[in-house]
Amino acid sequence: MSRYDAIVAGAGPAGVAAALTLARGGAEVLVLDRARFPRDKCCGDGLTAGALRGLESLGLDPSAVPSWTVVTDVCLRSPSGREVAMGLPGDGVHAAVAPRLELDAALVDLLRGAAGVTLAEGVPLEGLGLEHDRVRVRAGSEDHEAPFVVGADGAWSPTRRFLGGGGDRGGYRGEWHAMRQYWSGVEGDAAHRLWVWFEPDLLPAYAWSFPLGGGRVNLGLGIVRRPGWRAGGMAPLWSGLVRRPHIREVLGRAEPEGTVKAWPIPASPDPSRLAGAGGRVLFIGDAARVADPMTGEGIGQALTSGRAVARAILAGPAGRPAAVAAAYRRSVEPLHLDNRWAGLLSGVMAHPLGARGALRVAGLSAWTRANFARWMFEDYPRAVLATPGRWGHRALHPPGAYA
Ligand SMILES: Cc1cc2nc3c(=O)[nH]c(=O)nc-3n(C[C@H](O)[C@H](O)[C@H](O)COP(=O)(O)OP(=O)(O)OC[C@H]3O[C@@H](n4cnc5c(N)ncnc54)[C@H](O)[C@@H]3O)c2cc1C
C-alpha cells in the first residue's frame, strides 16, 4: 500500500494541471492514466487564449509540440452564407492549433520531470474505497491511499462511476457530440486560415477546419444533443458536410487521413457535480462537465479547474475535506458564470436568425471584427461584463500568451 497527499486519475490537460500545481506546492502526487503517452484524444485541437495562458503558466514550451500552429486569420460563415474575415492581434498568441497526440504527450513530459510526481501510465483506475479520513484506490492490481482523489478521467469518468451514489443520471452522454478527421493536401484558403461554418442544420453548434501547417487540417463538426437525437445520424451528416461546395472550395483537393472519430463533450455547468464523498473526491475538466456550452471548447476549462482544485487541496486542511470542496467550488464560480452566459448565447445561436444577427453585428466594423474574434477565442472571460472583480489592468485587451 503506497500513500500520497493526492491521487489524480487521468493525465489529460486537467489531470496534468492539477498534478503539476500540487507537486509544485510541495505535495506528493500519484497520477494514473489507463493510456500510455503519446495517445490520441478525439478533439478539434483548437487552443483558445484562455487555454494558451493556462499552458504557458504550467511551463509548456510550444517547441515541444512539433505541429504547433499559431492562428492569426479567422473566417466565420453565417447560416446565410455571409463570410466575415477576422484577424487576431500579434502581441503574443491568441489562438493556436496543436494535435492532442502531441500536446498531451508534451504535457505528460512535464510530469515526468517533476519532483513529487509518481506517474503510472497504462494503469487504469479499477475501484475506490472510502475510509474515514482517506480514499483507497485500486489501480493496476495495487492499492494506494490519499486524503484526496481528483477525478480527471474525462467524459465517462470512471472515478464518478466507482464513487457511486454521486447523483449521476443513468445514460448520460454529454451535451454535445462532436466528430473530427485529419485531412491533408489542403490547397485552398483553409491551409492557413481557421474556418468556422455556422451551418443552418448544425446550429447552435458548427463545423470547423483548424489549420495544422503543411497543408494539414483538423476538420470537424459538433451538434448539441436534443431529446430523441440518435448518434446514427452523424455519419450521413458528416459525408454530406464534406461535400458542401463552400467547404470543398476552401479545402481544395484535400484528402482525408484515417478514420472519423466521435466523442461526447460534457458542458453542463453545475457546481454540485464538483465534489463527492464529503469533499474527498473532487472532479475537474470533462469529468466535472465544465466545457463551454456555446463552443464545446474544454481544454482551457480543464486547465483552470485543474489548477483550482490543486490550490484548494494545498490550502485546506486534509482533515476538513468539506472546506476544501467549498474552497474549490468558490474558486471555479467565475468559470461556471462564464459557462452559464455561454449557455444563454448558445440559445441565441440556435436559431438561424439569431446566428445571422450575431455575425452581422460581429462584421460591422474593424473594431467589432477584432473584438468578436477575441471574445470567441476566450481572450476575455465570457461573462466579463458581469464580473467587475475581473476588470483588472487590460481586462479587455490582454496580451496573448507567450508574448
Ligand atoms: C470532437 C471534439 C472536438 C473538440 N474540440 C475542442 C477544441 O478544439 N478545443 C477545446 O478546447 N476543446 C475541444 N474539445 C473538448 C476537449 O477535448 C475536452 O474538453 C478536453 O480534452 C478535456 O480534458 P480532460 O483532461 O478533462 O479530459 P481528457 O482529455 O479526456 O483526459 C482524460 C484522461 O483520463 C484517462 N482515463 C480514462 N479512464 C481512465 C481510467 N479508468 N483510469 C485512468 N485513466 C483514465 C484517459 O486515458 C485520458 O488520458 C473537443 C472535444 C471533442 C469530442
Side-chain angles (χ1 to χ4, degrees):
M1 172 89 67
S2 39
R3 296 194 165 181
Y4 299 89
D5 297 314
I7 298 173
V8 178
V16 170
L20 273 182
T21 311
L22 279 162
R24 287 172 186 168
E28 287 292 326
V29 193
L30 170 66
V31 185
L32 28 112
D33 200 296
R34 69 174 175 198
R36 289 184 184 281
F37 291 77
R39 63 101 180 87
D40 192 18
K41 156 76 177 83
C42 175
C43 186
D45 303 334
L47 298 175
T48 60
L52 287 159
R53 293 195 184 100
L55 293 170
E56 184 180 25
S57 75
L58 288 182
L60 179 88
D61 179 352
S63 70
V65 182
S67 309
W68 180 275
T69 304
V70 173
V71 171
T72 51
D73 295 313
V74 175
C75 193
L76 309 183
R77 188 177 195 272
S78 117
S80 64
R82 178 191 166 93
E83 290 176 357
V84 183
M86 300 171 169
L88 288 164
D91 59 340
V93 187
H94 292 261
V97 188
R100 293 291 298 274
L101 184 81
E102 298 174 11
L103 176 72
D104 291 19
L107 284 170
V108 167
D109 277 346
L110 295 178
L111 288 182
R112 288 185 223 286
V117 175
T118 303
L119 174 66
E121 293 177 74
V123 177
L125 177 75
E126 292 159 343
L128 286 183
L130 300 177
E131 311 282 320
H132 81 282
D133 62 347
R134 52 193 52 243
V135 186
R136 198 164 13 84
V137 163
R138 183 91 184 144
S141 307
E142 284 181 39
D143 285 337
H144 312 275
E145 279 189 352
F148 295 101
V149 167
V150 178
D153 41 6
W156 303 114
S157 184
T159 303
R160 196 178 287 283
R161 226 175 41 239
F162 288 128
L163 188 61
D168 215 357
R169 286 178 278 144
Y172 173 75
R173 292 204 162 84
E175 281 62 38
W176 279 54
H177 201 76
M179 53 207 302
R180 70 99 165 97
Q181 186 175 40
Y182 292 105
W183 283 54
S184 46
V186 178
E187 300 161 330
D189 192 76
H192 67 273
R193 197 192 298 266
L194 183 151
W195 278 81
V196 174
W197 296 283
F198 291 99
E199 299 290 284
D201 52 340
L202 297 182
L203 294 174
Y206 54 86
W208 69 81
S209 171
F210 291 173
L212 279 163
R216 204 166 173 245
V217 297
N218 178 317
L219 189 70
L221 71 83
I223 56 128
V224 173
R225 280 177 180 274
R226 295 201 173 87
W229 178 84
R230 296 268 172 278
M234 292 289 275
L237 189 58
W238 177 261
S239 52
L241 184 92
V242 296
R243 283 200 293 268
R244 294 183 190 183
H246 54 279
I247 294 182
R248 283 311 313 200
E249 187 191 328
V250 299
L251 293 175
R253 281 192 307 195
E255 290 290 337
E257 291 173 17
T259 53
V260 188
K261 287 193 177 170
W263 200 250
I265 306 183
S268 44
D270 177 358
S272 72
R273 309 197 62 80
L274 296 173
R280 294 229 172 267
V281 181
L282 301 144
F283 295 95
I284 58 177
D286 275 8
R289 305 183 184 174
V290 290
D292 184 310
M294 187 178 69
T295 60
E297 289 151 352
I299 299 172
Q301 291 76 354
L303 297 170
T304 301
S305 55
R307 286 199 317 258
V309 86
R311 288 191 196 117
I313 293 173
L314 288 169
R320 291 183 53 216
V324 170
Y328 172 45
R329 274 195 201 99
R330 273 196 305 279
S331 67
V332 289
E333 262 167 26
L335 184 63
H336 275 117
L337 187 62
D338 289 336
N339 281 357
R340 278 199 293 276
W341 269 54
L344 292 174
L345 289 160
S346 177
V348 173
M349 298 298 279
H351 304 285
L353 274 179
R356 284 167 63 175
L359 290 193
R360 186 168 288 276
V361 171
L364 279 179
S365 67
W367 189 88
T368 55
R369 280 194 292 277
N371 282 287
F372 188 85
R374 293 183 69 163
W375 177 81
M376 188 169 161
F377 290 103
E378 290 178 341
D379 218 347
Y380 320 136
R382 296 268 184 254
V384 66
L385 295 178
T387 44
R390 292 188 288 183
W391 294 355
H393 176 61
R394 296 192 70 183
L396 274 181
H397 295 283
Y402 300 103

